Amino acid sequence: MAQLDAFDLFILGAVFVGTVAYFTKGTLWAKKRTASALVGKSNGTAAVASTATRSIITKLQNSDRDVVVFYGSQTGTAEDYASRLAKEGHSRFGLKTMVADIEEYDLEDLDTFPEDKVAIFVMATYGEGEPTDNAASFYEFITGEDPQFSEMEDPEKPLKNLKYVAFGLGNNTYEHYNVVIARLNEALLRLGANRIGEVGMGDDGTGTMEEDFLSWKEEMWSEFSKHVGVQEREAVYEPALKVEEKDGLTTDDANVFLGEFNKAHLQGTQSAPFLPHNPYIAPITSSRELFKSDSRNCLHVEIDLEDSKLKFTTGDHVAIWPQNSDKEVDRFLSVLGLTEKRDTVISVTAIDPTAKVPFPNPTTYDAVVRYHLEICGVVSRQFLASLAPYAPSDEAKAEITKLGNEKDYFSEVVSSRYLNIAQVLQRIAGGATWSSVPFPLIIESINHIQPRYYSISSSSYVDKSKPHITVVVESIPTSETADPLKGVASNYLLDLKYKQEGINNSSPSAVSYATGGPRGKYVGSKIPVHIRHSNFKLPSNPATPIIMVGPGTGVAPFRGFVHERAAQAGAGVPVGTSLLFFGSRNRTEDFLYSEEWEALGEKLGEKFKLVTAFSREGPEKVYVQHRLVENADLVNKLLLDGAYFYVCGDASRMAKDVSASLAKIIAQQRGIAEEQGEEIVKSMRAQNLYQEDVWS
């Protein structure tokens, strides 16, 4: 065995301390924690806010609220569900409700939560069992070993006065399905809180998230009314927002927002830091087609961050803020009878003092629909039912009521055809406009546009200011019309590419976008972006072997990994073996970066091996998991040499199959039971030796 010098021992010690810190969250040496301390650690501006403004108890009392609905949301769905619960609690039961972003409050005073009030937690599990960004501080605090509350009159059961409801959003294709809501529930019960009803869990992996939520909330409200002593009344919509048309303003006025994110963007004075609510308007320096196909597209896009001060490292994500296509904006405005008023300036203000206006204004109907609402998103049965009073005819009212009430009928007519809300309303009313629908109801009920995240497919070691992304353009045939379902962001990037090249997209299903952006601020092929940092990283020691499984665009981060290893080798740094499994349909159409792999192989020599699986080239379909098994000897040898194992791509089947295949390989190669192989894979995950960047 090689001898360790003093420096080696120092490094090993630092790694050990860092590992303990990561997996214990510091609890071994910092047991006494407060929520405000944790918030201060992650958000400097929030930390200096006064206790009163960040106290949910004070907020409830000052605004005379009965129920607060907290949300932890990454994509906007949990926020939407929280809003819907708050509205329903008010309209059906007369409750005085409010919605709260959980990171905006220091919840160390939960031990003084009034007995006559209720907290509802709607929490998403993100990534590999992680809380969402906005819920991270609260989650770390409440699930800690010894959270410190404000008064601690009963140290054993400090939350004995807290009544709560819990619903989680997760994906069963991930190993840690809905773990955030499960652990939050355990922590609250341990601290003495009293849960109303069962913990609800929505499953995005099976595509039943919405129905899971709807069925859970009906049972929950039944339990809620029994515990709290409220009775249901006839539901009546009461807007939380007020929309006024401003006759004295036009789109030429400098203070009217036409899609700008904030005042600095409006005034052309945007500056760092560039974050989700203040993205950087970044130039696209290059965009090229990767597929050799007449019917499918996949783009390689290069983004310039030189002037932004944004930093990324290999394995991170680029967040792209999309907009809705001209066609869908026109359809939506038309079905609401707003086509002639699209450029009318409106102001949006809060009627309810706890409500938030979700975008800057004054603005226009067009800007709201184009830049702020997910008008092409999944349609909610609950939302359809709420539109029945505004139907343009009795026939339309009967049909939309049926769709709202009957799950199977809704699935047959709407879900299976991938219809968006405007298409549904067109179909129901036969072309008649729904001009009676209050626009505040639209703003309050339709999700707000969220960024789309793409794995960076380049290396920050090679170029620290220009991340690349690899984007398959989504276009799914539907049974309703000849128009396919179009991915909002990917088709936005495709339209940008064609316009950048001065090419007219002649496809019958092509969609165009206002790529120039509000007031032409995106002219020159610019897009709003920010960086989301990831834990999907190369080993700190370049000599460590890596095994990568990335079919389709799942190969994106591994392009960055291999480019980094090649650059390090070129600089004289010893690098470990890089084994890449890539899969696609066939080598002639969608073999991504085929020329690059050959060049990288020449640079890395025996330190790089590419194994391909082309599913449609032979009599039987072959996938990456099959190739993994075929290379079992090499895979096991690299694992015994300390290799890190990475998977990127589809979570619903591929990732699960790869994990199962790896467990079998380990068992067979080492002569142990398959259950032991599975335990070794679990141990690899716990040690961060098995990493996933997957999506459903």
Side-chain angles (χ1 to χ4, degrees), residues 351-569:
I351 299 172
D352 183 332
T354 67
K356 288 184 177 180
V357 178
F359 44 77
N361 68 101
T363 184
T364 65
Y365 290 113
D366 185 286
V368 172
V369 174
R370 187 179 302 277
Y371 293 104
H372 299 298
L373 299 181
E374 291 277 16
I375 60 173
C376 295
V378 176
V379 178
S380 159
R381 273 202 302 127
Q382 185 178 1
F383 177 45
L384 279 186
S386 73
L387 295 178
Y390 312 104
S393 67
D394 290 340
E395 293 78 11
K397 183 175 183 178
E399 176 67 4
I400 201 168
T401 300
K402 184 177 181 181
L403 286 170
N405 291 338
E406 297 183 18
K407 179 173 70 172
D408 293 340
Y409 184 59
F410 175 85
S411 177
E412 175 191 345
V413 173
V414 179
S415 301
S416 66
R417 295 184 170 114
Y418 302 103
L419 299 183
N420 61 43
I421 184 61
Q423 289 172 322
V424 175
L425 296 182
Q426 281 182 331
R427 184 183 185 280
I428 290 173
T433 61
W434 295 67
S435 55
S436 297
V437 177
F439 202 66
L441 178 59
I442 295 294
I443 298 172
E444 294 168 20
S445 302
I446 296 180
N447 285 356
H448 303 129
I449 281 185
Q450 298 293 321
R452 273 53 170 180
Y453 295 100
Y454 295 95
S455 299
I456 292 175
S457 55
S458 59
S459 164
S460 58
Y461 181 89
V462 176
D463 190 339
K464 63 182 180 181
S465 65
K466 189 183 291 182
H468 304 173
I469 57 174
T470 309
V471 182
V472 66
V473 180
E474 296 181 36
S475 186
I476 304 172
T478 68
S479 57
E480 175 69 12
T481 66
D483 291 340
L485 173 67
K486 294 285 189 178
V488 174
S490 59
N491 282 277
Y492 172 40
L493 292 172
L494 180 64
D495 189 44
L496 249 173
K497 172 186 177 295
Y498 282 127
K499 288 176 178 174
Q500 190 175 27
E501 297 172 350
I503 297 174
N504 180 38
N505 186 355
S506 58
S507 169
S509 63
V511 288
S512 63
Y513 293 76
T515 52
R519 291 185 171 85
K521 289 183 170 68
Y522 303 170
V523 169
S525 298
K526 297 177 181 178
I527 54 174
V529 305
H530 69 272
I531 296 295
R532 183 176 73 183
H533 299 293
S534 165
N535 293 322
F536 195 76
K537 299 297 181 187
L538 280 164
S540 57
N541 182 357
T544 302
I546 56 175
I547 303 169
M548 302 161 284
V549 183
T553 55
V555 79
F558 305 137
R559 176 180 180 267
F561 283 14
V562 179
H563 269 283
E564 185 152 318
R565 284 282 171 98
Q568 289 170 329

Side-chain angles (χ1 to χ4, degrees), residues 156-402:
E156 295 298 317
K157 302 292 182 182
L159 302 186
K160 62 183 179 182
N161 290 337
L162 176 66
K163 296 185 182 72
Y164 74 96
V165 171
F167 183 83
L169 296 82
N171 187 318
N172 75 355
T173 60
Y174 291 82
E175 181 181 6
H176 304 289
Y177 171 62
N178 259 316
V179 68
V180 168
I181 198 65
R183 290 181 179 169
L184 172 60
N185 177 59
E186 291 172 2
L188 292 174
L189 291 176
R190 173 171 51 83
L191 294 167
N194 303 286
R195 191 182 70 235
I196 297 173
E198 296 300 316
V199 177
M201 292 190 182
D203 187 1
D204 195 39
T206 57
T208 59
M209 179 75 78
E210 176 73 11
E211 292 302 331
D212 293 340
F213 172 70
L214 293 179
S215 60
W216 164 81
K217 74 177 181 63
E218 287 308 313
E219 295 180 8
M220 181 276 292
W221 284 128
S222 177
E223 290 295 315
F224 187 100
S225 60
K226 293 176 186 176
H227 279 77
V228 180
V230 293
Q231 293 186 339
E232 187 169 359
R233 64 179 187 178
E234 183 178 354
V236 177
Y237 169 64
E238 295 181 24
L241 301 174
K242 179 181 180 181
V243 174
E244 289 184 290
E245 297 181 357
K246 310 299 285 185
D247 295 334
L249 293 174
T250 72
T251 54
D252 294 328
D253 287 288
N255 65 328
V256 174
F257 290 83
L258 301 182
E260 293 90 350
F261 286 85
N262 51 48
K263 193 171 184 179
H265 280 241
L266 178 69
Q267 297 174 341
T269 59
Q270 62 161 341
S271 60
F274 295 108
L275 302 166
H277 297 295
N278 183 42
Y280 176 62
I281 309 303
I284 291 178
T285 58
S286 175
S287 182
R288 59 187 171 91
E289 178 63 59
L290 295 176
F291 283 173
K292 300 177 179 67
S293 169
D294 294 331
S295 58
R296 296 188 298 145
N297 299 94
C298 185
L299 304 179
H300 172 84
V301 180
E302 300 183 8
I303 301 167
D304 186 2
L305 302 179
E306 181 70 39
D307 298 327
S308 69
K309 298 183 181 178
L310 280 170
K311 306 293 183 184
F312 74 94
T313 55
T314 309
D316 284 343
H317 300 100
V318 169
I320 292 179
W321 289 85
Q323 56 177 267
N324 291 307
S325 69
D326 296 336
K327 181 176 183 177
E328 293 304 334
V329 172
D330 291 346
R331 189 201 308 269
F332 190 88
L333 291 171
S334 175
V335 80
L336 292 180
L338 292 172
T339 300
E340 300 301 320
K341 302 174 75 172
R342 66 189 311 152
D343 292 326
T344 298
V345 177
I346 58 174
S347 69
V348 184
T349 54
I351 299 172
D352 183 332
T354 67
K356 288 184 177 180
V357 178
F359 44 77
N361 68 101
T363 184
T364 65
Y365 290 113
D366 185 286
V368 172
V369 174
R370 187 179 302 277
Y371 293 104
H372 299 298
L373 299 181
E374 291 277 16
I375 60 173
C376 295
V378 176
V379 178
S380 159
R381 273 202 302 127
Q382 185 178 1
F383 177 45
L384 279 186
S386 73
L387 295 178
Y390 312 104
S393 67
D394 290 340
E395 293 78 11
K397 183 175 183 178
E399 176 67 4
I400 201 168
T401 300
K402 184 177 181 181

